[in-house]
Amino acid sequence: MTTNGGISPQDAKYALETRDMHVYYGSFRAVKHINLNVERQKITALIGPSGCGKSTVLRSFNRMNELVPSARVEGKVFFHGKNLYDSNVDPVEVRRRIGMVFQKPNPFPKSIYDNIAFGPRINGWQGTKADMDNLVEQSLRASVLWDEVKDKLKESGLSLSGGQQQRLCIARALAIEPEVILMDEPCSALDPISTLKIEELMFELRRQYTIVIVTHNMQQASRASDNTAFFLMDNDRAGTLVEYGPTEQLFTNPQDKRTEDYISGRFG
Amino acid sequence: MSSVSQTGNTSSGMPTDEAMHRNIAQRRQRGRIWQGVLFASTTIGMLVLVILLATIINESFGLIAVQSTVDPATIADRPLEELSKEELIVILEDNLKRRVYQRLEREQPLAERDQAALLEIVRVEVVQEEVVGSWPLNETLFNRAAIEAEVAEEFPRAEIQFRSWINPDFLTNPMSSVPALAGVRTALLGTLWMIGITILFAFPIGVGAAIYLEEYATDTWYNRIIQTNIANLAGVPSIIYGMLGLAIFVRAFEPLTSGTLFGLTDPTTANGRTILSAGLTMGLLILPVIIIAAQESIRAVPNSLRQASYGLGATKWQTIWNHVLPGAMPGILTGTILSVSRAIGETAPLIVVGASTFIVTDPDGPFSKFTALPIQIYNWTARPQDQFRDIAAAAIIVLLIVLLTLNAIAVLLRDYIRKRRSI
Ligand SMILES: Nc1ncnc2c1ncn2[C@@H]1O[C@H](COP(=O)(O)OP(=O)(O)OP(=O)(O)O)[C@@H](O)[C@H]1O
Ligand SMILES: [Mg+2]
């Protein structure tokens, strides 16, 4: 992964840095002037009202926006000092190193085992069957699902409950050992208990991974993140970054009036 | 007259109470009428199908009256069934006119035929067991006395037998100019060869084109033109495809389709009029349908699966191969089943491409001359004698059985894939 065009790891403070980023869908500018530094091995929460461009920003971190034919990203996103949008960066490598968990659980219609083994396999996995068994177990343990599914690894991933499916998707993302994990409202379809489980899981994962999470849940953002970014739609309907800082500070002592209004539930 | 309840709000325009009940009853009534109409359509469809099947079956079974002009005792000292192959050939040599003998020899050398086939020929040509009358199944069952009376009066020496026109001999006999001897073996093999080539040609190309159009092609004006054209091609009459096949495969690609390119020239093959040409022509015919069906089912694969796959660092092709294609396969197979069923029954393009109407040698490869079941049926129904109509009905049954078998295989395959995917 250290070819000329590739991204080489560096011990910087930030895992991801955007520089004056704009994202367009066709001629519509969905977000503008985003300057956001995501700290390594921290949990960064993106909050803001519906439609303000949180998912759009999140997807620009692993070039998933490219799957929308009309989408276009302007500006720069640095990952370990390398601009992800340079012409010599392969989006496949980006997604291999920056994993993603989606808002709606989307396991493959395959067995639980194969759901997790798929990522390593397509990324050129070299190990033995026993190694793979081990990797599957480790991933499921890491996502706190192992005890619930250890006896039915051959059953369909779709046979699980919604919360279990979401944890399966997290395990699947962990199995390819990414450096950053992006989560788009991973708990929006879950009950409070599953939500708590996933939050505990995120704290666990923070030791190794950098996590960016989109959430609509203020409590979740305040109790489960280190830094918080607040987005809002501007008059031209483009999303902007209003305030960004340590979660504690943003929730107790917001610098911007609009942030204060939002977190105290006065609008949005 | 609607009475207004305390909570009812008349100003909103929404009916309440009695008016609401009447409204609901009305809507239900309308639904029931439509249900009746839909049921009637289904019934009419079923009725037509039943009548069709009944007619075919009616023609394929029934009584026949057989009369022999020569007493078998005068040509052999034992019953005919007990004679060996060689003895039967001698009888044929002695009793047949030269011309008839040579014709039979040309159709298939007598020495190569088996005892049962020779026995049939002796019966038909020497003893001249002739089917002087045949009756469909319904008359056989309900009007037997009248048939017997009629036969007794018109053909006093004739014998009445029950005959199933569809029987093992009918499946294994080659073509013949005598209906009682004719079979569908060459046509059946021709159809199977042709369909095999059609599937091998149209399935990969059709699915490939569909993948390209859905997953790779961008939304540009020329891609949209291609798309529209494919949809239009699906509606082009089959005879046009026949003419296309004649121009391309039979004429332009003759060295390829006749096999000369591979040094396989067979003097009897009528140049490019081979199974290969027919199979490719049928492939062209069903290609648009397969492309459209495959596109539809590829489109139906949820985008969330593609995203999940890309999100794990899969390439486009890995995503297509591992998720899009398996997800779309049941739908693609359904489309293929429907179009192949259509190809099996097509007659017009085959006539244009130059299927033979009378051959007795089995097709032995893509470069053989051939005939196919629908051609055979078409040919037989055009003959004046009643018995040809009976064997045409029997051939239709064979065609239907081939169709059902192929469909069953495809359905099993489809269900197998569905089941494998749901684990
Ligand atoms: N695929 C798309 N094509 C066109 N416009 C899009 C597309 N996806 C998002 N948008 C637009 O971009 C803007 C931001 O959308 P985005 O999904 O990023 O919002 P969000 O903050 O994630 O909202 P939510 O909280 O409801 O998920 C919206 O105005 C939306 O209409
Ligand atoms: Mg969103």
Side-chain angles (χ1 to χ4, degrees):
Chain A
M1 285 234 175
T2 46
T3 53
N4 274 349
I7 312 149
S8 42
Q10 250 173 38
D11 283 325
K13 182 175 179 207
Y14 301 117
L16 289 159
E17 302 163 69
T18 71
R19 288 284 170 278
D20 203 28
M21 183 181 74
H22 305 252
V23 184
Y24 296 82
Y25 293 107
S27 59
F28 171 66
R29 180 156 67 169
V31 296
K32 63 179 185 186
H33 297 299
I34 305 293
N35 288 293
L36 180 67
N37 296 337
V38 175
E39 278 187 86
R40 284 166 66 84
Q41 304 194 350
K42 291 272 164 61
I43 300 174
T44 304
L46 311 184
I47 61 170
S50 184
C52 68
K54 304 177 298 293
S55 301
T56 302
V57 168
L58 193 74
R59 282 198 302 264
S60 68
F61 288 153
N62 68 344
R63 294 184 61 167
M64 285 299 268
N65 277 329
E66 272 157 47
L67 302 185
V68 180
S70 66
R72 190 160 51 83
V73 176
E74 270 177 19
K76 292 179 171 159
V77 180
F78 291 102
F79 176 53
H80 297 306
K82 174 87 192 168
N83 182 8
L84 291 180
Y85 287 87
D86 266 358
S87 56
N88 57 5
V89 172
D90 187 344
V92 170
E93 180 186 347
V94 174
R95 293 175 199 136
R96 157 74 185 76
R97 298 179 65 178
I98 305 179
M100 187 157 202
V101 177
F102 299 83
Q103 177 170 357
K104 236 179 80 197
N106 54 356
F108 299 125
K110 295 170 180 283
S111 70
I112 293 171
Y113 186 99
D114 286 339
N115 257 283
I116 292 168
F118 175 76
R121 276 184 195 145
I122 56 155
N123 281 292
W125 168 261
Q126 299 280 316
T128 60
K129 170 89 173 64
D131 290 339
M132 181 62 88
D133 291 348
N134 195 28
L135 177 67
V136 169
E137 179 172 344
Q138 289 314 314
S139 307
L140 285 170
R141 278 192 194 284
S143 69
V144 211
L145 187 60
W146 174 252
D147 289 330
E148 286 154 79
V149 300
K150 60 173 184 251
D151 301 320
K152 48 177 192 177
L153 293 176
K154 290 275 161 265
E155 274 174 43
S156 170
L158 295 172
S159 68
L160 299 175
S161 77
Q164 290 172 328
Q165 286 186 13
Q166 193 61 298
R167 276 177 282 148
L168 177 64
C169 291
I170 294 176
R172 183 174 71 182
L174 296 179
I176 60 167
E177 294 164 7
E179 292 153 50
V180 180
I181 300 177
L182 310 174
M183 297 183 170
D184 194 348
E185 299 181 49
C187 305
S188 66
L190 306 187
D191 66 296
I193 295 178
S194 307
T195 302
L196 276 179
K197 272 194 184 155
I198 288 189
E199 282 173 20
E200 282 163 24
L201 170 61
M202 287 187 338
F203 274 116
E204 215 33 57
L205 296 175
R206 188 171 56 160
R207 292 199 211 142
Q208 280 185 58
Y209 304 91
T210 305
I211 297 176
V212 185
I213 178 174
V214 172
T215 178
H216 274 290
N217 181 331
M218 288 306 114
Q219 283 109 343
Q220 181 170 51
S222 63
R223 73 179 167 238
S225 72
D226 301 302
N227 294 313
T228 300
F230 171 59
F231 292 83
L232 204 55
M233 235 186 296
D234 225 347
N235 295 331
D236 58 354
R237 305 191 42 78
T240 50
L241 177 58
V242 171
E243 188 169 349
Y244 177 49
T247 301
E248 172 114 7
Q249 184 200 317
L250 192 123
F251 275 89
T252 53
N253 184 20
Q255 305 295 300
D256 198 296
K257 176 80 172 59
R258 294 169 292 177
T259 315
E260 192 181 343
D261 288 348
Y262 184 74
I263 57 179
S264 56
R266 251 166 279 171
F267 78 92
Chain B
M1 284 303 281
S2 81
S3 64
V4 181
S5 72
Q6 276 116 340
T7 53
N9 183 357
T10 44
S11 65
S12 77
M14 286 297 289
T16 47
D17 298 331
E18 198 148 318
M20 179 181 76
H21 292 140
R22 239 184 301 124
N23 175 276
I24 291 176
Q26 253 172 24
R27 285 185 281 146
R28 283 202 175 287
Q29 184 59 32
R30 228 169 289 151
R32 267 195 293 276
I33 293 173
W34 276 112
Q35 190 181 355
V37 171
L38 301 181
F39 178 73
S41 329
T42 315
T43 318
I44 291 173
M46 290 302 297
L47 212 65
V48 171
L49 203 67
V50 168
I51 292 174
L52 187 83
L53 277 178
T55 317
I56 296 169
I57 290 173
N58 196 26
E59 293 271 348
S60 319
F61 304 91
L63 288 183
I64 53 171
V66 184
Q67 172 174 286
S68 43
T69 9
V70 178
D71 188 351
T74 62
I75 53 169
D77 42 9
R78 284 177 289 153
L80 291 177
E81 296 82 38
E82 292 173 14
L83 297 179
S84 72
K85 197 171 143 177
E86 287 70 29
E87 287 169 306
L88 287 169
I89 294 182
V90 172
I91 292 179
L92 286 173
E93 271 174 350
D94 291 349
N95 291 279
L96 283 183
K97 289 203 194 85
R98 243 5 299 137
R99 196 172 44 78
V100 179
Y101 183 81
Q102 275 163 0
R103 177 171 56 89
L104 287 170
E105 187 74 30
R106 252 200 324 278
E107 284 177 12
Q108 190 184 5
L110 292 181
E112 287 176 17
R113 306 189 185 205
D114 58 10
Q115 201 259 357
L118 289 170
L119 185 64
E120 277 284 336
I121 299 178
V122 171
R123 286 213 169 112
V124 175
E125 299 287 344
V126 182
V127 184
Q128 288 180 22
E129 263 183 11
E130 207 184 343
V131 181
V132 288
S134 62
W135 293 267
L137 189 61
N138 59 344
E139 289 184 34
T140 302
L141 293 179
F142 305 115
N143 223 354
R144 188 162 185 139
I147 294 173
E148 274 166 6
E150 185 188 332
V151 171
E153 189 183 320
E154 288 184 29
F155 313 102
R157 291 190 300 114
E159 206 182 301
I160 294 183
Q161 301 170 354
F162 182 82
R163 180 165 178 127
S164 154
W165 290 96
I166 180 159
N167 54 40
D169 283 345
F170 182 69
L171 289 180
T172 53
N173 279 359
M175 272 297 287
S176 165
S177 47
V178 182
L181 290 183
V184 289
R185 189 177 75 209
T186 45
L188 184 59
L189 289 173
T191 287
L192 292 179
W193 267 105
M194 185 192 77
I195 284 304
I197 291 173
T198 302
I199 295 175
L200 282 182
F201 171 66
F203 186 78
I205 295 186
V207 175
I211 294 175
Y212 180 79
L213 288 171
E214 281 306 308
E215 299 286 326
Y216 289 94
T218 46
D219 190 25
T220 51
W221 61 269
Y222 47 88
N223 279 329
R224 245 177 278 158
I225 290 180
I226 292 177
Q227 187 67 61
T228 317
N229 273 321
I230 291 173
N232 285 337
L233 279 178
V236 169
S238 57
I239 192 139
I240 311 272
Y241 281 97
M243 288 157 66
L244 189 71
L246 181 68
I248 301 180
F249 301 124
V250 179
R251 301 257 161 81
F253 289 171
E254 202 222 294
L256 177 79
T257 50
S258 63
T260 41
L261 208 61
F262 312 100
L264 288 170
T265 357
D266 172 355
T268 62
T269 53
N271 37 60
R273 298 169 180 198
T274 53
I275 291 188
L276 185 59
S277 293
L280 294 178
T281 305
M282 285 298 185
L284 280 191
L285 173 77
I286 64 171
L287 196 55
V289 184
I290 293 191
I291 293 179
I292 292 172
Q295 274 187 290
E296 290 290 337
S297 27
I298 287 173
R299 224 172 291 153
V301 173
N303 244 328
S304 61
L305 278 189
R306 290 186 182 85
Q307 287 177 355
S309 172
Y310 284 124
L312 290 169
T315 61
K316 186 160 207 152
W317 177 246
Q318 285 176 320
T319 303
I320 293 173
W321 181 254
N322 289 293
H323 300 291
V324 177
L325 269 188
M329 204 37 87
I332 295 178
L333 283 179
T334 309
T336 309
I337 298 168
L338 289 176
S339 53
V340 167
S341 308
R342 180 178 166 203
I344 291 180
E346 277 293 349
T347 324
L350 293 184
I351 295 176
V352 180
V353 171
S356 321
T357 42
F358 191 98
I359 45 173
V360 285
T361 46
D362 293 343
D364 57 0
F367 305 115
S368 308
K369 275 199 306 190
F370 74 105
T371 184
L373 283 170
I375 296 279
Q376 216 49 244
I377 293 165
Y378 171 72
N379 193 20
W380 281 336
T381 45
R383 303 275 192 105
Q385 298 100 312
D386 273 354
Q387 283 91 43
F388 276 113
R389 279 222 305 286
D390 295 330
I391 58 174
I396 290 174
I397 292 186
V398 175
L399 181 68
L400 289 179
I401 291 172
V402 171
L403 252 169
L404 285 180
T405 316
L406 285 180
N407 284 2
I409 292 173
V411 169
L412 287 179
L413 196 66
R414 187 182 68 193
D415 290 352
Y416 172 75
I417 293 177
R418 278 224 182 105
K419 207 152 103 217
R420 265 226 355 222
R421 263 182 68 74
S422 60
I423 23 172

